[in-house]
Amino acid sequence: MNGQPMLKVAGLRRHFGGFVAVDNVSFEQRQGEILGLVGPNGAGKSTIFNLVSGFIRPSAGKVEYRGRDITGMDFHEVARLGVARSFQLNKLFGGLSVEENIRIGCHLHEPAGLRRFFFGAGREDRDALQGRVNSIIDRIGVHALRHQRADELSYGDQKLLGIGITLGSQPDLVMLDEPFAGMNQTETLRCADLVRGIAKEGKTVFLVDHNMRAIMGICDRVLVLNFGALVADGPPAEIQSNRAVIECYLGSRAC
């Protein structure tokens, strides 16, 4: 991991009518860093994810990716720059196999898009694509399930497949929205190993989750959000002993 900022968020604000979901949030993420975002339900975590990835526009503030202003860009434009995200709910093609889901994830980010999925491509392109598909299947650890329908997978394997689809675009910044949600301990450990592996391959990971043990175990830095505002930013050990986090997030007393 080097010190080069990949993502810069400055004075980000989003309101829905009179409700302020994100209130003047600023932070940076370095290239190669695993950054976690935590906070109580309704703290504004998913809103920040949606703002950074282009699914909604900010009311104020600025988002930069690799020095480029991406504030207000549509999500498909942000994706083309190298940012990809997963979702809280698995967005899979249930009637298709694991391999077919991964292949679609790869096709969606190629110049010809899904047209190549339906009408084919040249032999060289097909071989290159199959190599990418195989690599992702191996990376997420579902090789034995590659021909199984997505809707027949266990919940944990569906979550891993969702991450695999996200990796299909070969992103530099991987945004994972609650990757550990609903997983048992064994599934959580598998997913945590996958996230570490993604980072070791040189990618930058930004994730939000409620599983504090997993977050503290894999993240280089953790952001804590409460009522739309950033209340702490630091390494896991520092966050765990931060009084504002203990009082406002862990609930030792009312703020």
Side-chain angles (χ1 to χ4, degrees), residues 208-231:
V208 56
D209 209 276
H210 288 284
N211 189 323
M212 294 293 284
R213 178 174 294 181
I215 288 284
M216 296 300 172
I218 66 172
C219 290
D220 300 303
R221 240 174 75 236
V222 179
L223 308 174
V224 183
L225 203 67
N226 197 35
F227 295 112
L230 197 62
V231 298

Side-chain angles (χ1 to χ4, degrees), residues 150-171:
D151 58 9
E152 296 174 345
L153 299 176
S154 69
Y155 180 79
D157 285 330
Q158 287 185 353
K159 296 285 283 189
L160 294 176
L161 178 56
I163 295 174
I165 293 172
T166 303
L167 296 176
S169 65
Q170 298 180 298

Side-chain angles (χ1 to χ4, degrees), residues 65-96:
Y65 174 69
R66 293 191 180 279
R68 178 172 178 172
D69 188 353
I70 64 170
T71 311
M73 275 190 183
D74 290 334
F75 70 92
H76 58 86
E77 296 176 306
V78 176
R80 279 199 293 266
L81 295 177
V83 180
R85 62 166 294 181
S86 67
F87 295 86
Q88 292 181 25
L89 300 177
N90 294 327
K91 294 183 178 293
L92 309 175
F93 296 92
L96 299 181

Side-chain angles (χ1 to χ4, degrees), residues 183-196:
M183 287 187 170
N184 60 36
Q185 184 175 5
T186 299
E187 292 168 336
T188 298
L189 292 174
R190 284 180 62 199
C191 189
D193 285 343
L194 172 59
V195 173
R196 291 190 190 97

Side-chain angles (χ1 to χ4, degrees), residues 13-16 51 57-61:
R13 181 179 172 86
R14 173 68 192 198
H15 59 78
F16 298 93
L51 290 169
R57 297 175 183 271
S59 304

